[in-house]
Amino acid sequence: MDFLSNFLIRFLTQLQSPTLGFLIGGMIVASLGSRLSIPDPVYKFIVFMLLIKVGLTGGQAIRDSNPAEILLPALFAVVIGILIVFIGRYTLCMLPNVKIEDGIATAGLFGAVSGSTLAAALTLLETQGIPYEPWAAALYPFMDIPALVTAIVLSSIYTSKRRGTADEYLSKQEYSSKQGITARGYPNKKHERVKIWPIVKESLQGSALSALLLGLALGLLTQPESVYKSFYDPLFRGLLSVLMLIMGMEAAARLKELRQVAQWYAVYAFVAPLLHGFIAFGFGMIAHYTTGFTLGGVVILAVIAASSSDISGPPTLRAGIPSANPSAYIGASTAVGTPVALALGIPLYIGLAQALMGG
Amino acid sequence: MDFLSNFLIRFLTQLQSPTLGFLIGGMIVASLGSRLSIPDPVYKFIVFMLLIKVGLTGGQAIRDSNPAEILLPALFAVVIGILIVFIGRYTLCMLPNVKIEDGIATAGLFGAVSGSTLAAALTLLETQGIPYEPWAAALYPFMDIPALVTAIVLSSIYTSKRRGTADEYLSKQEYSSKQGITARGYPNKKHERVKIWPIVKESLQGSALSALLLGLALGLLTQPESVYKSFYDPLFRGLLSVLMLIMGMEAAARLKELRQVAQWYAVYAFVAPLLHGFIAFGFGMIAHYTTGFTLGGVVILAVIAASSSDISGPPTLRAGIPSANPSAYIGASTAVGTPVALALGIPLYIGLAQALMGG
Amino acid sequence: MDFLSNFLIRFLTQLQSPTLGFLIGGMIVASLGSRLSIPDPVYKFIVFMLLIKVGLTGGQAIRDSNPAEILLPALFAVVIGILIVFIGRYTLCMLPNVKIEDGIATAGLFGAVSGSTLAAALTLLETQGIPYEPWAAALYPFMDIPALVTAIVLSSIYTSKRRGTADEYLSKQEYSSKQGITARGYPNKKHERVKIWPIVKESLQGSALSALLLGLALGLLTQPESVYKSFYDPLFRGLLSVLMLIMGMEAAARLKELRQVAQWYAVYAFVAPLLHGFIAFGFGMIAHYTTGFTLGGVVILAVIAASSSDISGPPTLRAGIPSANPSAYIGASTAVGTPVALALGIPLYIGLAQALMGG
């Protein structure tokens, strides 16, 4: 019981951290009907600033690191990304009132990664003084892209099997064009093999992954130390607190949307982040004992798995699974999945790592 | 005469402070027809940053303070907020060419509080090394809300007494819907008692008060020190200078609007801030001698009274007094009231406090 | 050959500087089709922040400097601004498939100055430890305005000589009104002398020059040290890196536009910045030997000449030469001229100055 009471004390302390405090503050403020809002261009710029900073840190770290070290964690990230989507395919999709395509898209989004959640975890690890490999943030695309690819492939296989009629095909096209999205050679046509590369490319071209990879490249190839120390690093925590506020407000606003789809989405969105995190924590421990992956790195792997994409994932899924209902997957991720990952998942995995470090 | 010459020297020095320098610079630049502008989303974010910082400071201060201390100044703030509206009701509204509803709304706006003016005063107090209670900024809502409530109640009483005809009622409704504002159970229907709570709620839900109260709550209940010291506090003065520039440009732009309404608005907007500030300074001195309220705190109370709302007030008034002409009250506040409070009021009250401290 | 190899080493080092690294990163990211973008309001605010900082630095410097010092460099700046437009008039405009008005407008834009390029040069000079007169940035308007005025006057003379028919005149008016631009007393009417003052005023009222001059005035007349040190100065390099990223992405995007006009624009846009910079470097060396103008100042003069306007110039040219095709001049400047000035020009002139300092 000592572990539990220690954990609860740590948990309550972490809720007072600015990161989680602003998240919860945002949820309360929005649910009280406040007209407070952070303008969208500022929100987008904050996300850019955080991801390019995470990338710069990683890029500079990779310069001095052994590339072999990253292999096993990266492989595990790929495996977890694919696994999460299969879990969703054979749990969420089997539940009553859940449309198969909606379920697969939701699972894809929960397999994909949230840069904001990752940034929050990095900050909390630093506050708690838990060391981690600075390149650990670079695991992001290794889980994100396989999850999205798997979701789109599974959805395409399902659609092919169902032997859609011409009418259905047409209505789907219509839906897609109403959303102003072109499918760009995506797996809409029957009896055609799903092309992987366009999905990967679409993911990489998304604003979140682009910013992260640009940061990685600049950190690796240029000398960004002067701007990193004077600008990107000092602003990181403050901008993160603003982002948490926005995410809290967004979560409260999306809750209404979520109420309009099957309640099973809310159940999945609550359970899945924690479960995915524990699975990844287990994989991470294997790397910990075999290759010396730090416990901080294990936490990051768990958080990446627990997080669900809020920026880069949705557009890729809209284009890749045009028949899925965005309200279902975006609502589940933003209103429940992300707050659960942030306010329960991160403190949980950090607490677990601290308990293991103490032992 | 020593006081006056000292005061003039101080006054000229304060005009060179970045805060007032940027305000005057903005007025000059805009009146020369420059196309320089700070984008609106940036403006909104700056206001958020300033108010949440003021709130965080206050919240952290309240943690360590005696809650009894705040009682008398808070009570005085309420009294002054109500008094200002009554003064406007029996001066401005009596003048020729001033529509009663417009006059009441203007008085309400001048009773309400401007977060930007408050932020400017806090900065100047710090520059001058004058100590003040850090929770003094928390007096904001104690004056803001009573002033807006009083204005809406007085306007409603006036409307009821006038025994409006059905036609008038309809035209009013029309005006309100043209503005895209729903009256939300506001006192439009005749012979019905004015409901106070919706007005209070509307005020509290405004973006300015929400940000301030959120900051207060986060400062009180969480541990925001790390982001406060690395982000909100260091950016405060710089962002304030940008905000002052915007307010100066806005004042010059609104001057044209003000010219289209009765000139008495300009006279009121010039005299009222200074008068309200002196009244509040007097009340503050009572608290100074009875409960040891600092002279810096007295200045803050005076500035809160001198300031007129630029962000949170107008939407509440539009909904609460839909028959009043926004050009009249917003023009009077933005074009004349706020610059007078900033460039004359603040230096005046600080000079007065310094003279009293020297004595 | 020693100079060349030293120069190449320096050149490669400078490409790794954050300034140029972000520029090239932006070009690569955008040409790979990324959806990464920095919202426009943030872009505008960054430009404002950089120019007001450059102005504040200059203004504070002028306070302590000898006004006579600035005379010769300022005179040279005027001469170079006019000369650049004449060079363009008698080279670019003579080439096949180049419309005379388009060529003159392009030359005007290349004579005008880019605040971002100037900011990048100042940062690199500081990184390399090369001293320069802090007021050197104030040379900006002395080249910018004469170049734009000369271009509009030359275009007007050309139009008058061509003896346009009434039909032509009408079609021109139509084009102008389609662009939502009123000519504001500009030289559209035949047989009328070109009025210089409206062009100068239009330039001065542009957002870029307004911000720079406002900063100069505030630096000269107020005491902005506190906000300068805590806000404008520390954020300068970081914001510049973001701006370089935007400019890189913008350059890649504009390249497509440029392909639709005569290829001679691309040739001109590549050669002109380097040539203009060398001419200005020569003039600067005269000032160096006669009045002791620093080599850092010579570099700044060269960079101002090499740069082409990206913010303030285009609207003035649209109003002043409504018959010119904006795709031609904006494309040439943004897609080729600015990257060449930044990535080749600045390292070249700094290398040259360093070689001369070593000699």
Side-chain angles (χ1 to χ4, degrees):
Chain A
M1 282 300 94
D2 207 40
F3 169 73
L4 198 65
S5 66
N6 271 342
F7 174 76
L8 279 174
I9 289 164
R10 272 192 210 107
F11 185 72
L12 287 173
T13 315
Q14 284 172 16
L15 287 185
Q16 288 191 301
S17 79
T19 311
L20 298 182
F22 276 80
L23 178 81
I24 295 163
M27 294 175 82
I28 293 171
V29 159
S31 60
L32 291 176
S34 164
R35 291 189 300 277
L36 178 67
S37 76
I38 307 292
D40 197 55
V42 174
Y43 162 66
K44 283 189 181 135
F45 183 60
I46 290 176
V47 171
F48 161 80
M49 287 286 292
L50 296 181
L51 289 176
I52 205 151
K53 188 267 177 185
V54 168
L56 285 170
T57 316
Q60 290 175 81
I62 289 172
R63 258 197 262 158
D64 313 322
S65 75
N66 177 0
E69 270 186 305
I70 202 174
L71 267 182
L72 193 64
L75 180 71
F76 282 169
V78 173
V79 170
I80 297 163
I82 296 170
L83 189 61
I84 287 173
V85 183
F86 273 93
I87 292 174
R89 177 70 184 85
Y90 292 105
T91 57
L92 177 62
C93 295
M94 300 306 176
L95 293 168
N97 297 321
V98 173
K99 236 180 79 190
I100 305 283
E101 281 108 326
D102 292 1
I104 295 175
T106 307
L109 209 59
F110 276 73
V113 177
S114 153
S116 330
T117 309
L118 173 59
L122 298 177
T123 302
L124 273 176
L125 282 171
E126 271 162 43
T127 309
Q128 303 285 324
I130 302 174
Y132 60 90
E133 287 80 3
W135 49 256
L139 296 173
Y140 180 141
F142 290 97
M143 195 182 299
D144 192 69
I145 295 173
L148 292 170
V149 169
T150 308
I152 293 169
V153 171
L154 284 187
S155 155
S156 169
I157 291 169
Y158 168 75
T159 314
S160 300
K161 278 192 186 152
R162 219 177 38 171
R163 279 196 271 126
T165 64
D167 299 63
E168 237 181 52
Y169 178 68
L170 280 169
S171 72
K172 225 179 280 170
Q173 288 292 78
E174 232 173 68
Y175 180 81
S176 160
S177 63
K178 264 180 203 156
Q179 302 278 326
I181 296 155
T182 50
R184 304 193 202 173
Y186 269 25
N188 267 329
K189 286 170 202 155
K190 277 163 289 171
H191 309 304
E192 205 183 283
R193 290 209 53 150
V194 183
K195 281 177 197 133
I196 304 290
W197 174 239
I199 313 173
V200 175
K201 202 176 148 201
E202 176 84 16
S203 288
L204 290 170
Q205 288 176 337
S207 57
L209 259 181
S210 290
L212 186 83
L213 295 173
L214 175 65
L216 272 172
L218 288 170
L220 197 59
L221 303 171
T222 72
Q223 310 281 345
E225 280 79 2
S226 62
V227 286
Y228 181 80
K229 276 180 201 157
S230 71
F231 188 69
Y232 293 100
D233 194 39
L235 289 177
F236 186 67
R237 285 188 180 210
L239 291 175
L240 182 65
S241 71
V242 180
L243 184 62
M244 288 294 121
L245 183 68
I246 299 172
M247 290 174 77
M249 297 193 294
E250 188 70 9
R254 288 275 178 185
L255 216 49
K256 285 167 211 154
E257 253 179 64
L258 192 60
R259 282 190 200 126
Q260 290 158 7
V261 294
Q263 293 175 351
W264 287 114
Y265 286 102
V267 175
Y268 173 81
F270 190 91
V271 175
L274 301 177
L275 175 70
H276 300 159
F278 280 118
I279 293 173
F281 203 98
F283 274 102
M285 288 310 290
I286 299 175
H288 176 62
Y289 288 118
T290 55
T291 65
F293 192 43
T294 61
L295 281 168
V298 175
V299 170
I300 290 171
L301 191 67
V303 169
I304 287 177
S307 80
S308 53
S309 179
D310 39 11
I311 301 166
S312 57
T316 306
L317 287 175
R318 276 193 184 198
I321 315 182
S323 55
N325 174 11
S327 287
Y329 56 82
I330 300 178
S333 169
T334 309
V336 181
T338 296
V340 165
L342 282 164
L344 295 179
I346 297 178
L348 207 63
Y349 310 130
I350 289 183
L352 210 57
Q354 284 172 326
L356 289 166
M357 286 166 94
Chain B
M1 282 301 92
D2 207 39
F3 169 73
L4 198 65
S5 67
N6 271 342
F7 175 77
L8 279 174
I9 289 163
R10 274 194 208 106
F11 185 73
L12 287 173
T13 314
Q14 285 173 15
L15 286 185
Q16 288 190 302
S17 80
T19 312
L20 299 181
F22 276 80
L23 178 80
I24 295 162
M27 294 174 83
I28 293 171
V29 158
S31 60
L32 292 175
S34 164
R35 291 189 301 278
L36 179 66
S37 75
I38 307 291
D40 197 55
V42 175
Y43 162 66
K44 284 190 180 134
F45 183 60
I46 291 176
V47 171
F48 161 80
M49 287 286 292
L50 295 182
L51 289 176
I52 204 151
K53 188 267 178 187
V54 167
L56 285 170
T57 316
Q60 291 175 81
I62 289 173
R63 259 198 262 159
D64 312 322
S65 74
N66 178 358
E69 271 187 303
I70 202 175
L71 267 182
L72 193 65
L75 179 70
F76 282 170
V78 173
V79 170
I80 297 162
I82 295 170
L83 188 61
I84 288 173
V85 183
F86 272 93
I87 293 173
R89 176 71 183 84
Y90 293 104
T91 57
L92 177 62
C93 295
M94 301 304 176
L95 294 168
N97 298 320
V98 173
K99 235 181 78 192
I100 304 282
E101 281 108 326
D102 292 2
I104 295 175
T106 307
L109 210 59
F110 276 73
V113 177
S114 153
S116 330
T117 308
L118 173 59
L122 298 177
T123 303
L124 273 176
L125 281 172
E126 271 161 43
T127 310
Q128 304 284 324
I130 302 174
Y132 61 90
E133 287 80 2
W135 50 256
L139 295 173
Y140 180 140
F142 290 96
M143 195 180 299
D144 192 68
I145 295 174
L148 292 170
V149 169
T150 308
I152 293 170
V153 170
L154 283 187
S155 154
S156 168
I157 291 168
Y158 168 75
T159 314
S160 297
K161 277 191 188 153
R162 219 179 37 172
R163 280 196 268 127
T165 64
D167 298 63
E168 238 184 53
Y169 179 68
L170 280 168
S171 72
K172 224 180 280 171
Q173 288 290 80
E174 231 172 72
Y175 180 81
S176 160
S177 64
K178 263 181 205 156
Q179 301 279 328
I181 294 155
T182 50
R184 305 195 200 172
Y186 269 25
N188 267 329
K189 287 170 202 157
K190 278 163 289 170
H191 308 304
E192 206 183 282
R193 290 208 52 149
V194 183
K195 282 180 195 128
I196 304 289
W197 175 239
I199 313 172
V200 175
K201 202 177 147 197
E202 177 84 16
S203 287
L204 289 170
Q205 288 177 337
S207 57
L209 259 181
S210 289
L212 186 82
L213 294 174
L214 175 66
L216 271 172
L218 288 170
L220 197 58
L221 302 172
T222 72
Q223 309 281 346
E225 279 80 2
S226 62
V227 287
Y228 181 80
K229 276 179 199 155
S230 71
F231 188 68
Y232 293 100
D233 193 40
L235 290 176
F236 186 68
R237 285 188 180 208
L239 291 175
L240 182 64
S241 72
V242 179
L243 183 63
M244 288 295 121
L245 183 67
I246 300 172
M247 290 173 78
M249 297 193 295
E250 188 71 5
R254 290 275 178 184
L255 215 50
K256 284 166 211 154
E257 253 178 64
L258 191 59
R259 281 189 200 126
Q260 290 157 10
V261 294
Q263 292 175 353
W264 286 114
Y265 287 102
V267 175
Y268 173 80
F270 190 90
V271 175
L274 301 177
L275 176 70
H276 300 160
F278 279 119
I279 293 173
F281 203 99
F283 274 102
M285 288 310 290
I286 298 175
H288 176 62
Y289 287 119
T290 55
T291 66
F293 192 44
T294 61
L295 280 168
V298 175
V299 170
I300 291 172
L301 191 67
V303 169
I304 286 178
S307 78
S308 52
S309 180
D310 38 13
I311 301 167
S312 58
T316 306
L317 287 175
R318 277 194 182 198
I321 315 182
S323 56
N325 174 11
S327 287
Y329 56 82
I330 299 178
S333 168
T334 309
V336 181
T338 296
V340 165
L342 282 164
L344 295 179
I346 297 179
L348 207 62
Y349 310 129
I350 289 183
L352 210 57
Q354 284 172 326
L356 288 165
M357 286 166 93
Chain C
M1 281 301 93
D2 206 38
F3 169 74
L4 200 65
S5 67
N6 272 342
F7 175 77
L8 278 175
I9 288 164
R10 273 195 209 107
F11 185 73
L12 287 173
T13 314
Q14 284 172 14
L15 286 185
Q16 289 191 300
S17 79
T19 312
L20 298 182
F22 276 81
L23 178 81
I24 295 163
M27 294 175 82
I28 293 171
V29 159
S31 59
L32 292 176
S34 164
R35 291 188 301 277
L36 179 66
S37 76
I38 307 292
D40 197 54
V42 174
Y43 162 67
K44 283 188 182 137
F45 182 61
I46 291 176
V47 171
F48 161 79
M49 287 287 292
L50 295 181
L51 289 176
I52 204 152
K53 188 266 175 184
V54 168
L56 284 169
T57 316
Q60 291 175 81
I62 290 172
R63 259 197 261 158
D64 313 321
S65 74
N66 177 0
E69 271 186 305
I70 202 175
L71 267 182
L72 193 66
L75 179 71
F76 282 169
V78 173
V79 170
I80 297 163
I82 295 169
L83 188 62
I84 288 174
V85 183
F86 273 92
I87 293 174
R89 176 71 183 85
Y90 293 103
T91 58
L92 177 62
C93 294
M94 301 304 177
L95 294 168
N97 298 320
V98 173
K99 236 182 77 192
I100 305 283
E101 281 109 328
D102 292 1
I104 295 176
T106 306
L109 209 59
F110 276 73
V113 177
S114 154
S116 331
T117 309
L118 173 59
L122 298 177
T123 303
L124 273 175
L125 282 172
E126 271 161 42
T127 309
Q128 304 285 323
I130 302 173
Y132 60 91
E133 286 80 1
W135 50 255
L139 295 172
Y140 181 141
F142 290 96
M143 195 181 298
D144 191 69
I145 295 173
L148 292 170
V149 169
T150 309
I152 293 170
V153 171
L154 284 187
S155 154
S156 169
I157 291 168
Y158 167 75
T159 312
S160 298
K161 276 191 188 154
R162 220 178 37 171
R163 279 196 269 127
T165 65
D167 298 65
E168 239 184 51
Y169 178 68
L170 278 169
S171 73
K172 226 180 277 170
Q173 288 290 81
E174 231 173 69
Y175 179 80
S176 161
S177 63
K178 264 182 204 156
Q179 301 277 326
I181 296 154
T182 50
R184 305 193 200 174
Y186 268 26
N188 268 329
K189 286 170 202 157
K190 276 163 289 171
H191 308 304
E192 205 183 285
R193 291 209 53 150
V194 182
K195 282 178 195 130
I196 304 289
W197 174 239
I199 313 173
V200 175
K201 202 176 147 198
E202 177 84 16
S203 288
L204 289 170
Q205 288 177 338
S207 56
L209 259 181
S210 289
L212 187 82
L213 294 175
L214 175 65
L216 272 172
L218 288 171
L220 197 58
L221 304 172
T222 71
Q223 309 282 346
E225 279 81 1
S226 62
V227 287
Y228 181 81
K229 275 179 201 158
S230 71
F231 188 69
Y232 293 100
D233 193 40
L235 289 177
F236 186 69
R237 286 189 179 207
L239 290 175
L240 182 65
S241 73
V242 180
L243 183 63
M244 288 295 121
L245 184 67
I246 300 172
M247 290 173 78
M249 297 192 295
E250 189 70 6
R254 289 276 178 184
L255 215 51
K256 284 166 211 153
E257 252 179 64
L258 191 60
R259 281 189 200 126
Q260 290 158 9
V261 295
Q263 293 175 352
W264 286 115
Y265 286 102
V267 175
Y268 173 80
F270 189 92
V271 175
L274 301 176
L275 176 70
H276 299 160
F278 279 118
I279 293 172
F281 203 98
F283 274 102
M285 288 310 291
I286 299 175
H288 176 64
Y289 288 118
T290 54
T291 66
F293 192 44
T294 62
L295 281 168
V298 175
V299 171
I300 290 171
L301 191 68
V303 170
I304 286 177
S307 79
S308 53
S309 180
D310 39 12
I311 300 167
S312 57
T316 306
L317 287 174
R318 277 194 182 197
I321 315 182
S323 56
N325 174 11
S327 287
Y329 55 82
I330 299 178
S333 168
T334 309
V336 181
T338 296
V340 164
L342 282 163
L344 295 179
I346 297 179
L348 207 63
Y349 310 129
I350 288 183
L352 210 58
Q354 284 173 325
L356 289 166
M357 286 166 93

